[in-house]
Amino acid sequence: MQRSTENSATAWHALSDEAVFSVLKSSPEGLSRHEAALRFSEYGPNELESVQRISAVRIFLRQFNNALIVVLLAATGLSAFLGHELEAVAIGVIVLFAVFLGFIQEFRSERAVEALRRMAAPSATAWRDGEEIETPARELVPGDVILLRTGNKIPADLRLIEAVNLQVEESALTGESVPAEKHTAALSESRLALADRKNMGYAGTAVTYGRGRGVVVATGMDTEFGKIAGMIQAIETRKTPLQENLDRVGRILVRVAFVIVALIAVLGLLRGQPFIEMLVFGIALAVAVVPEALPAVVTVSLAIGVRRMVKRNALMRRLLAVETLGSTSYICSDKTGTLTKDEMTVRKIYASGRTVDVTGEGFAPQGQFLHNGRAIESDPALRELLQAAALASDAQVDFSNLEERWKVKGDPTEAALVVAAEKAGLKKIDLDSNYRRIGEIPFTSENKRMTTLHEHRGEQVAYSKGAPEIILNSCARYFSGDGVVDLDPAGRAAIVQEARRMAGQALRVLAIASKPGAELADAERDMVFVGLMGMIDPPRPEARAAIQTCESACIQVVMITGDHPLTAQAVAAELGLLNGGRVVTGMELDAMSESELESKLETIKVFARVSPGHKLRIVAALQKKGHIVAMTGDGVNDAPALKKADIGIAMGITGTDVTKEAAAMTLTDDNFASIVAAVEEGRGIFDNIKKYLMYLLSANIGEIGLMAGATVLGLPLPLTAVQILYVNLATDGLPALALAVDPPVPGIMHRKPRDPRTGIFTKSVVALMMVAGWWSSLSNLGLFAYLLHSGRDLKEAMAMTFVSLVLIEFSKAYHFRSDRDSVLNGLFSNRWLNLAVLWELLLLGLIIYVPFLQQAFGTFGMQPSDWLMAVCPALSIWPVLELTKYALRRGWWGESNVACRLGGLQAIH
């Protein structure tokens, strides 16, 4: 007996039935109950294994392994030590909120495997001791023989030994648009994609037509589903670019805080100031360095972005993934149901010797019939073809008011024929009423056709549809514009040539024939050839525009599908996705070394006939080259790659529970175009977080520079500890939150994706931050020194410097809405910032003029002349920052506009 791991590596599809039974030591009659029990103890239950769960407490404690969280906890303790209980409570709440958010994200990310487990069949019909029994699917073992009927979910991986008209829905596993037709013959190629293994059945897929039998060759984690579950469990979730940036900021701030405490304390002691007094000021400055509201601002920014995205049909499961979308440089998209509608549609018709184009997409019965670009008003041959195709089909198409879309009952290929007929006004329900079906010859994998017999006005007529070569061989005449005429060799050759031409365009081609006066016994002999119909799962109309938008945003889009390469290439070409790029199959990918793949990766636009392992390899290779990768998909085969990708995007309508659990985002309308809106939101959110950090850290630089400058020059400290904390927690708080909801800047989707390795602090950001911070320090230090030398007492000088510092922060809030554009562009367009500044001005007035607040904050009732002196530094920063931005736009700091070209389009970074 071979072990399970050895069985999983066997190319079962390449073995004959006899060889399969020999390897498994089984027979067509199945196993005995005794043997099944022995094998169950050896192989274990036929179910997906669960990895050892990490306890919720451990996940919660893991959230504190973050530099910024540690700093904020220290700030909480320091605020309490200084007697500012309110600030301590506020910071503590912020910390717990950030920790809880991280906990929820990590706790939910492990549920994908559980969703995969739910897709397993609960029971199966097996042969044991020569008897047909119903057994729990978890008790199946390799060597068991399973019976398959229409509607069954396949309980394990099977090598088929009997297939009678057997069709299996495998789209969730292979990406194929239509059910796979199965047979039992051994296949010559040992290395085939799952979709090409027509003699195999896979766990988790469903029988849609016919019946069959199969011998179990793999169970549990050795099935294709099990391999996917193993991939999901093995993938470690990467930190988002934002998480990495914030961790880096936190570590820097920790070091800066310690240096400041030490520096201020040492300088003060050297000047003979009391140790406790210098320690208090050092601690106050250390707290000022830390942006306490950063987690709150990040959360608010992300939450608002999520709310906007819901309105645009994108549902986020993980808040931080919103920002990751803004960094996305590659979108790896599944074809079926994502770039296409997952609705087979007739695109070409060949009738009466001419080719007709059919407009319209999907199952909506709206469209026209065009010949040489002109609409066809009336054509007897075309009408006969559409009527015959609809009558030889069982599918029904109805509009669902609940889901607001057209839905199909039956085979999607037949649905395409029915919809094409309805576009010509031939409704299926009316045709079935007028042409009552009285018999049929069902489709089989051997005859490759389906024939129906109808009664109409006392006469019988047969209609048949199937493979062109099969239908054509049964025809002696054909339906022309002049009526029914004999089918000569030249006519046959023309039909064969047209069928090949359609197939070359990646269309699935069916031939249609009829026979008036037929009986069921002779219905498929001496038929009349009516025409050919070519169909495809068409691209979404909006997907092409979305791809063009991605190109203008310098985001590469590639198609990764399990479908046939010709079909994938045709869809990609229609979407404008190829642009000279290559099409590579899974077998070609297997033949590439890692270095070869990396060198060719960015020239490949379509990956076809790929497996879940291939998708993982592609995503990993792109990430290795420094790309931020988004992966879209709807099938179980997409789940590992969705989890591996930086941002996994599942389809809400057609997507399985497995993909939704593995993904960070779900598209509620299954529309590729909704990704573009999500990318825009992601870019805007990162911009707003950057604005907040620029604003707050420049304020901190201004405060530290002011205090350090006064200490170095031998001046008294210009601010009290209470004033420092007020500026840091109150004055900077609301304007910073207002920047978190700033609307996106114009042209945000005409930039290159942000390189996550550059972080938040680019040269332009640092330059603007330093200029604003140091100018604030110098102007306020100058004001403080001037006031002292002009005879003002220390309390008044400190109070006016405090007011000047607050006002200069308000000015900077407006300037930091962009790190490049002039402040005058939409100066007051952020109404929340306007309200925040007005509110803070009101609070400032109360602090200055209310007696008990004067005592608490060390202020006095300022006169108009005092206000004038305090306002001057705030106004002086306007020309300074405008000149700095002008220099940045001109590239004087080494950063200039960078043009990106993708597909002939330009984008400015």
Side-chain angles (χ1 to χ4, degrees):
M1 173 68 64
Q2 289 179 300
R3 302 295 299 174
S4 175
T5 53
E6 295 171 350
N7 285 348
S8 65
T10 304
W12 298 107
H13 57 277
L15 300 180
S16 65
D17 295 2
E18 295 78 10
V20 171
F21 283 120
S22 175
V23 171
L24 293 172
K25 292 183 168 45
S26 182
S27 71
E29 287 73 37
L31 303 172
S32 67
R33 287 178 171 83
H34 176 69
E35 178 64 22
L38 290 176
R39 296 192 184 193
F40 184 82
S41 63
E42 179 181 359
Y43 292 103
N46 175 35
E47 59 188 13
L48 303 185
E49 296 174 0
S50 294
V51 293
Q52 186 176 358
R53 285 186 172 275
I54 302 172
S55 70
V57 173
R58 187 175 173 187
I59 293 175
F60 181 77
L61 293 176
R62 188 187 289 175
Q63 309 310 311
F64 291 92
N65 185 23
N66 178 292
L68 188 59
I69 295 295
V70 172
V71 172
L72 292 177
L73 287 173
T76 304
L78 292 173
S79 296
F81 172 79
L82 292 170
H84 299 282
E85 291 82 4
L86 183 60
E87 289 85 348
V89 170
I91 300 172
V93 169
I94 289 169
V95 171
L96 289 176
F97 188 53
V99 167
F100 182 71
L101 182 67
F103 167 76
I104 292 297
Q105 173 188 333
E106 190 171 342
F107 187 76
R108 293 184 64 188
S109 67
E110 302 305 319
R111 292 173 55 191
V113 175
E114 291 304 314
L116 199 59
R117 289 166 65 92
R118 291 195 296 269
M119 292 189 70
S123 62
T125 304
W127 282 92
R128 295 270 174 87
D129 289 325
E131 296 178 1
E132 183 179 317
I133 65 167
E134 194 79 11
T135 182
R138 72 183 302 275
E139 295 180 5
L140 293 176
V141 294
D144 264 326
V145 173
I146 305 300
L147 275 66
L148 301 175
R149 299 184 178 92
T150 300
N152 286 166
K153 187 168 282 187
I154 297 180
D157 285 2
L158 311 175
R159 169 64 164 86
L160 298 174
I161 59 174
E162 180 183 345
V164 180
N165 306 327
L166 185 63
Q167 296 182 19
V168 180
E169 172 58 57
E170 297 179 334
S171 62
L173 190 64
T174 65
E176 287 279 8
S177 305
V178 296
E181 298 173 6
K182 297 295 184 177
H183 60 74
T184 60
L187 302 173
S188 57
E189 288 281 344
S190 60
R191 293 172 58 202
L192 286 176
L194 294 181
D196 294 324
R197 300 177 190 178
K198 301 299 185 182
N199 58 4
M200 298 289 293
Y202 294 106
T205 62
V207 178
T208 59
Y209 192 79
R211 58 183 175 83
R213 285 191 304 151
V215 57
V216 175
V217 296
T219 58
M221 296 299 288
D222 289 318
T223 64
E224 293 301 326
F225 258 47
K227 293 173 186 176
I228 292 173
M231 291 176 190
I232 294 173
Q233 293 171 357
I235 294 167
E236 294 184 4
T237 305
R238 300 204 313 176
K239 285 189 174 182
T240 69
L242 180 60
Q243 285 174 309
E244 292 176 348
N245 275 304
L246 294 182
D247 285 350
R248 195 179 305 124
V249 169
R251 289 191 295 269
I252 293 170
L253 292 178
V254 169
R255 298 187 185 102
V256 171
F258 280 116
V259 170
I260 287 168
V261 171
L263 182 63
I264 294 295
V266 169
L267 288 174
L269 291 173
L270 290 175
R271 292 174 53 191
Q273 291 181 284
F275 174 77
I276 294 298
E277 179 182 339
M278 294 315 302
L279 179 62
V280 169
F281 274 102
I283 290 172
L285 276 178
V287 173
V289 170
V290 180
E292 291 89 351
L294 179 58
V297 171
V298 171
T299 303
V300 168
S301 298
L302 296 175
I304 290 172
V306 166
R307 191 177 67 177
R308 289 175 183 160
M309 290 169 65
V310 168
K311 295 178 181 177
R312 301 171 80 171
N313 302 308
L315 178 64
M316 301 304 302
R317 290 186 64 248
R318 301 172 196 158
L319 280 182
L320 286 167
V322 179
E323 181 274 334
T324 309
L325 273 169
S327 305
T328 299
S329 56
Y330 250 83
I331 298 177
C332 300
S333 178
D334 186 36
K335 176 185 74 69
T336 305
T338 308
L339 291 170
T340 66
K341 293 179 71 69
D342 197 16
E343 298 177 359
M344 294 296 287
T345 305
V346 174
R347 301 290 287 271
K348 297 277 186 183
I349 287 176
Y350 179 75
S352 186
R354 65 177 181 173
T355 302
V356 176
D357 295 312
V358 186
T359 64
E361 307 290 346
F363 295 143
Q366 289 103 32
Q368 289 183 300
F369 299 89
L370 308 176
H371 179 60
N372 294 330
R374 303 180 67 177
I376 298 174
E377 298 297 332
S378 177
D379 186 326
L382 177 62
R383 187 177 181 85
E384 177 70 12
L385 172 63
L386 294 170
Q387 175 178 294
L391 285 169
S393 301
D394 292 323
Q396 296 180 347
V397 181
D398 299 301
F399 186 78
S400 170
N401 290 314
L402 181 63
E403 299 183 25
E404 296 185 348
R405 67 188 186 104
W406 292 89
K407 298 199 69 175
V408 168
K409 295 178 182 177
D411 182 77
T413 300
E414 291 190 345
L417 304 179
V418 171
V419 169
E422 293 210 5
K423 289 177 181 179
L426 300 171
K427 294 187 177 298
K428 172 70 170 168
I429 189 170
D430 295 335
L431 290 174
D432 288 340
S433 175
N434 293 328
Y435 291 79
R436 184 172 61 87
R437 185 182 296 188
I438 56 176
E440 68 177 81
I441 303 173
F443 175 91
T444 67
S445 55
E446 288 75 25
N447 65 17
K448 295 184 179 179
R449 69 191 298 169
M450 175 182 177
T451 303
T452 57
L453 186 65
H454 302 262
E455 188 273 329
H456 176 64
R457 296 178 181 174
E459 296 185 1
Q460 293 184 175
V461 57
Y463 295 111
S464 188
K465 70 176 189 301
E469 66 276 12
I470 300 296
I471 296 295
L472 191 57
N473 287 338
S474 67
C475 293
R477 295 169 294 167
Y478 78 98
F479 199 100
S480 72
D482 300 322
V484 177
V485 298
D486 289 338
L487 186 58
D488 57 23
R492 289 180 184 274
I495 293 168
V496 170
Q497 183 178 358
E498 181 61 26
R500 288 174 179 170
R501 192 179 70 84
M502 284 188 181
Q505 297 173 354
L507 298 175
R508 186 181 189 192
V509 186
L510 289 180
I512 312 296
S514 66
K515 183 177 181 179
E519 296 290 339
L520 197 60
D522 66 353
E524 294 180 342
R525 294 194 297 270
D526 296 325
M527 300 193 79
V528 177
F529 183 85
V530 183
L532 300 171
M533 302 181 78
M535 65 202 74
I536 195 171
D537 178 15
R540 291 178 175 272
E542 64 276 12
R544 184 182 179 91
I547 289 171
Q548 290 175 344
T549 303
C550 286
E551 289 177 341
S552 71
C554 302
I555 299 170
Q556 294 272 18
V557 180
V558 296
M559 180 192 295
I560 303 180
T561 178
D563 217 337
H564 194 280
L566 276 179
T567 305
Q569 183 173 358
V571 172
E574 189 169 343
L575 287 168
L577 189 59
L578 280 178
N579 291 331
R582 298 177 57 196
V583 179
V584 170
T585 65
M587 291 183 66
E588 292 170 329
L589 193 60
D590 284 333
M592 291 184 188
S593 65
E594 290 302 320
S595 59
E596 187 180 2
L597 174 60
E598 288 179 21
S599 65
K600 297 178 179 179
L601 189 60
E602 290 168 333
T603 67
I604 302 171
K605 301 297 289 185
V606 175
F607 294 90
R609 276 290 189 258
V610 294
S611 68
H614 292 138
K615 295 182 181 184
L616 267 181
R617 187 182 175 199
I618 293 164
V619 171
L622 286 169
Q623 290 175 335
K624 188 176 179 181
K625 291 180 74 70
H627 290 290
I628 299 298
V629 183
M631 170 76 189
T632 73
D634 59 354
V636 174
N637 59 333
D638 299 319
L642 290 185
K643 188 175 180 184
K644 173 68 174 174
D646 298 282
I647 173 76
I649 306 170
M651 302 296 111
I653 298 173
T654 58
T656 61
D657 287 344
V658 183
T659 55
K660 292 173 187 176
E661 291 292 345
M665 183 176 92
T666 299
L667 301 181
T668 58
D669 60 350
D670 285 14
N671 192 337
F672 181 84
S674 297
I675 300 172
V676 178
V679 170
E680 183 177 356
E681 290 294 342
R683 291 187 174 191
I685 284 167
F686 184 83
D687 273 5
N688 289 349
I689 293 170
K690 181 176 69 175
K691 294 170 191 177
Y692 161 79
L693 277 175
M694 280 196 303
Y695 170 64
L696 202 57
L697 293 180
S698 76
N700 294 351
I701 292 169
E703 295 169 34
I704 294 164
L706 174 61
M707 302 298 287
T711 303
V712 170
L713 294 175
L715 298 173
L717 291 173
L719 298 172
T720 67
V722 174
Q723 288 170 343
I724 292 172
L725 288 172
Y726 179 82
V727 171
N728 199 48
L729 290 174
T731 303
D732 291 342
L734 282 180
L737 286 171
L739 288 176
V741 296
D742 209 35
V745 297
I748 197 170
M749 289 301 288
H750 293 281
R751 302 178 187 167
K752 289 175 65 177
R754 178 180 57 81
D755 185 348
R757 293 170 295 185
T758 62
I760 295 173
F761 300 111
T762 61
K763 290 181 180 179
S764 61
V765 169
V766 171
L768 197 63
M769 224 166 47
M770 296 303 293
V771 168
W774 285 114
W775 185 261
S776 173
S777 297
L778 291 172
S779 58
N780 283 311
L781 186 59
L783 174 65
F784 182 63
Y786 170 77
L787 291 171
L788 290 178
H789 284 86
S790 64
R792 293 289 188 118
D793 64 34
L794 179 59
K795 178 182 177 181
E796 290 186 358
M798 293 175 71
M800 291 176 66
T801 303
F802 166 68
V803 171
S804 174
L805 181 62
V806 170
L807 294 178
I808 208 167
E809 295 308 313
F810 295 160
S811 297
K812 286 193 289 185
Y814 286 97
H815 279 278
F816 284 137
R817 292 186 62 218
S818 171
D819 60 343
R820 286 182 178 268
D821 297 333
S822 170
V823 69
L824 301 177
N825 293 342
L827 178 59
F828 298 113
S829 59
N830 186 338
R831 64 190 181 97
W832 295 110
L833 180 58
N834 301 334
L835 291 172
V837 170
L838 287 174
W839 172 253
E840 293 294 345
L841 284 171
L842 176 62
L843 291 181
L844 182 62
L846 294 175
I847 288 171
I848 291 171
Y849 294 110
V850 175
F852 77 89
L853 291 177
Q854 288 177 347
Q855 183 177 358
F857 286 91
T859 60
F860 69 101
M862 292 172 55
Q863 300 301 312
S865 59
D866 300 330
W867 277 104
L868 183 61
M869 279 191 285
V871 166
C872 285
L875 294 177
S876 69
I877 203 167
W878 285 65
V880 171
L881 290 181
E882 282 295 283
L883 285 171
T884 304
K885 289 184 180 182
Y886 177 77
L888 291 171
R889 290 195 296 271
R890 301 285 292 181
W892 294 354
W893 260 272
E895 287 187 0
S896 57
N897 287 346
V898 179
C900 159
R901 293 180 180 272
L902 285 177
L905 295 173
Q906 270 198 0
I908 301 299
H909 177 43

